[in-house]
Amino acid sequence: MSAETEAMVHTRVDVKTRGERPTEPLIFEKSVPGQRGVDLPPLDVERAEIPDSILGVAPDLAELGQRDVVAHFTHLSERNLSLDGSFYPLGSCTMKLNPRINEWAAALPGFAQLHPLQDDDTIQGALRLLYEVRGFLEAISGLGEVSVQPAAGAHGEYTALKVMRAYYIDIGQPERTVVLAPDNAHGTNPASCTMCGANVAPVKTSGGCTDLEDLARVIETHGAENILALMITNPNTAGIFDHQIEQIVRMVHDAGAQVYLDGANMNAILGVTRPGDFGIDCMHFNTHKTFSTPHGCGGPGAGPIAVAGHLSPYLPVPQIMMTDDGSFYLDKERPKSIGKVRSFIGQFGVLVRCWSYISACGPNGLRNVSEKAVLNANYAAALLLDRYEMPFFDPAARQFCAHEFVTVPETLLGNGISLVDIAKRMIDFGIHPPTMHWPVHDCLMVEPTETESKQTLDHFASVMLRIADEIERSPESMPDAPLESIIRRADEVSAARKPRTVHSDEAI
């Protein structure tokens, strides 16, 4: 061996197998002065000096070749618990598999290369697609008219509240500003109300459903003449379809108010029932869980709203319309409209995916989606029932769940461990922890959706039963979980309150 080769061998870095999954250095730690990921073309104009006052201080960027940058972020992505690589039973806001045909459709050049300022007559195909999405959602909701403009579910709530508020102002009842919301409502409901200047009045739930006596009390307390709407999620966050919905609607309508459906869990009732049939006046769709599109917060997303006929004049503009000759146009002349809530015509690429999914399923397929989602949730719940207590699930009493189930594992927590310990241990088995402490304290909310196989659900149940065994055998080990992931238990308080700069050890 030559001296040069011997020196090279002795300077080799420690080699790890992929299975050992060593800690990935920061990109700044990999930086090599002088390396570049991009070569700029030669300057073809006269060079101009930029004053130092404008330049400021140059950012301290990592210096790496393009190959190393791609490898770095690929390595990081492989460590995520992702929708495509892991079971992700988040609960309530669950995202599910996005069929690849949706992505193919959205990437077609005729859609992907549209310019938002094109004239209507040059985008007839796109307008037809949006008009058909309108029609699909109107049929599914059983309501009179749909706006596809809102950019996410919460944005749909905001838009719908503006629509309902505009309606009452128009008919001379501007004093209606109180919105009722059951205490298991999504957190976005009161947030949307606040943004619209409406006050939120909580209504108690009992056994997972709306407490009718408390609903009557709250209406009386605030005065029927001041009630704007009730916002209700059905099926709700306890995983239950509130069977009292017709009575609830009647009580709210008797108060002269509107009933708004948070459509987050529409994937449990597609083709089974329509919100318009049980008296809903207004609702939004979460297209990500119901129709397999990107999620608003990880999106872009979409949150179309559907309204009954008396609310139609107040929908946002522009509205996609069809003329008698079958051509399509954007109607911007609606005198009672609340105006625009989104640039141009909304999240077009997401709505292409929505159209693709609904078209591929058809009416029978959509019903099958809901039946499978409900079956999967009940199957998983039944496998865990003996070890994980479930306050709203009791097959012996024929009390089943809808799209998700809630467990409050009091017996396991009695061993001195916390709910976080259970959630962190799930990470070791490649399962994303579900929503915790909501809609009740010390609960896990699990939603598998219809896209998971029986094998995945069996694996999930095996993991959860193993964790239960571990808790009973050696609860003292649980606070160390996750035990085998790259990142162990993080100090969340320090991470939030004492973050460090990305390439130094100095605390901010």
Side-chain angles (χ1 to χ4, degrees):
M1 180 181 296
S2 67
E4 183 178 354
T5 302
E6 185 175 6
M8 184 177 69
V9 169
H10 287 302
T11 56
R12 282 180 177 175
V13 296
D14 188 21
V15 176
K16 302 285 187 181
T17 66
R18 185 174 183 280
E20 293 175 287
R21 299 178 70 82
T23 301
E24 187 74 15
L26 299 175
I27 196 168
F28 295 95
E29 295 170 333
K30 295 179 177 178
S31 179
V32 177
Q35 287 199 4
R36 294 286 185 273
V38 177
D39 289 324
L40 298 177
L43 188 65
D44 59 357
V45 296
E46 185 178 352
R47 184 182 183 86
E49 296 297 331
I50 302 176
D52 291 341
S53 59
I54 296 178
L55 282 176
V57 179
D60 187 10
L61 301 177
E63 298 178 62
L64 288 173
Q66 190 175 115
R67 172 68 180 86
D68 292 329
V69 172
V70 171
H72 175 74
F73 287 105
T74 300
H75 293 165
L76 292 181
S77 70
E78 290 171 345
R79 294 160 190 265
N80 288 337
L81 294 183
S82 66
L83 281 175
D84 287 338
S86 313
F87 184 38
Y88 211 99
L90 185 61
S92 203
C93 289
T94 297
M95 294 164 279
K96 65 185 181 186
L97 173 71
N98 291 184
R100 293 303 183 264
I101 192 171
N102 296 358
E103 307 307 311
W104 169 82
L108 288 171
F111 292 145
Q113 296 178 12
L114 288 174
H115 193 284
L117 293 178
Q118 285 182 234
D119 293 334
D120 292 357
D121 59 358
T122 67
I123 55 170
Q124 284 295 297
L127 293 179
R128 175 180 174 178
L129 182 143
L130 294 176
Y131 187 80
E132 291 184 359
V133 170
R134 255 194 66 186
F136 290 158
L137 300 185
E138 287 163 3
I140 291 169
S141 66
L143 291 167
E145 188 167 346
V146 163
S147 168
V148 297
Q149 276 208 27
H155 194 209
E157 294 173 17
Y158 169 83
T159 304
L161 285 162
K162 298 285 282 186
V163 166
M164 291 186 287
R165 185 89 175 102
Y167 165 73
Y168 279 120
I169 291 174
D170 190 40
I171 64 172
Q173 299 180 27
E175 67 279 5
R176 290 186 179 272
T177 58
V178 178
V179 177
L180 315 180
D183 58 21
N184 62 0
H186 284 103
T188 51
N189 292 175
S192 298
C193 292
T194 301
M195 288 185 66
C196 291
N199 300 315
V200 182
V203 177
K204 294 179 181 177
T205 55
S206 176
C209 294
T210 305
D211 186 324
L212 299 184
E213 290 185 5
D214 196 59
L215 175 60
R217 180 191 64 78
V218 175
I219 291 174
E220 183 178 358
T221 299
H222 290 273
E225 70 280 5
N226 297 315
I227 308 298
L228 172 66
L230 167 75
M231 298 183 83
I232 188 169
T233 308
N234 202 22
N236 61 30
T237 55
I240 298 172
F241 184 86
D242 196 327
H243 61 283
Q244 312 165 115
I245 186 64
E246 288 185 325
Q247 190 172 353
I248 293 168
V249 168
R250 192 159 49 246
M251 292 172 68
V252 175
H253 283 172
D254 286 347
Q258 309 292 302
V259 181
Y260 177 85
L261 179 77
D262 182 320
N265 301 324
M266 274 295 291
N267 65 321
I269 59 174
L270 289 171
V272 179
T273 185
R274 303 184 304 173
D277 292 343
F278 51 81
I280 298 300
D281 299 294
C282 188
M283 66 167 291
H284 80 261
F285 288 92
N286 276 353
T287 60
H288 64 274
K289 190 170 74 176
T290 307
F291 304 122
S292 75
T293 72
H295 185 267
C297 294
I305 62 170
V307 301
H310 62 284
L311 296 174
S312 292
Y314 310 93
L315 285 173
V317 289
Q319 176 64 296
I320 297 93
M321 305 294 289
M322 184 174 71
T323 62
D324 292 338
D325 66 3
S327 61
F328 302 90
Y329 69 101
L330 295 174
D331 181 8
K332 303 172 185 174
E333 304 300 327
R334 292 194 160 201
K336 293 187 177 182
S337 168
I338 62 169
K340 289 179 68 67
V341 296
R342 190 72 179 85
S343 56
F344 304 108
I345 52 178
Q347 303 280 30
F348 179 71
V350 176
L351 296 168
V352 172
R353 293 170 172 88
C354 182
W355 182 96
S356 179
Y357 184 80
I358 295 174
S359 299
C361 288
N364 293 335
L366 290 178
R367 183 183 178 100
N368 188 47
V369 164
S370 290
E371 291 174 343
K372 289 283 175 52
V374 173
L375 176 63
N376 279 0
N378 280 276
Y379 178 70
L383 293 176
L384 301 180
L385 184 59
D386 290 342
R387 306 292 293 279
Y388 290 82
E389 293 96 328
M390 299 180 194
F392 312 121
F393 181 74
D394 183 3
R398 300 195 61 75
Q399 182 182 7
F400 301 101
C401 64
H403 55 294
E404 63 194 0
F405 65 89
V406 171
T407 172
V408 183
E410 294 177 344
T411 302
L412 294 175
L413 296 178
N415 288 283
I417 57 100
S418 71
L419 203 65
V420 174
D421 297 336
I422 298 176
K424 295 296 184 184
R425 185 63 173 139
M426 293 169 71
I427 295 173
D428 282 328
F429 299 98
I431 297 173
H432 192 285
T435 298
M436 301 191 301
H437 299 298
W438 185 69
V440 293
H441 185 59
D442 271 346
C443 81
L444 295 171
M445 179 199 291
V446 179
E447 180 173 21
T449 80
E450 77 285 357
T451 59
E452 301 301 336
S453 66
K454 180 177 180 299
Q455 290 73 24
T456 297
L457 300 179
D458 288 340
H459 169 70
F460 168 68
S462 297
V463 168
M464 297 304 289
L465 295 175
R466 172 171 168 169
I467 293 174
D469 291 342
E470 291 176 348
I471 292 171
E472 292 176 349
R473 188 172 58 247
S474 55
E476 67 281 359
S477 66
M478 297 306 293
D480 293 329
L483 305 175
E484 300 165 33
S485 65
I486 293 298
I487 304 297
R488 300 293 294 276
R489 183 76 65 97
D491 182 345
E492 296 173 356
V493 174
S494 293
R497 298 184 178 180
K498 298 180 181 179
R500 292 185 306 174
T501 53
V502 292
H503 57 292
S504 80
D505 290 334
E506 296 178 4
I508 293 176

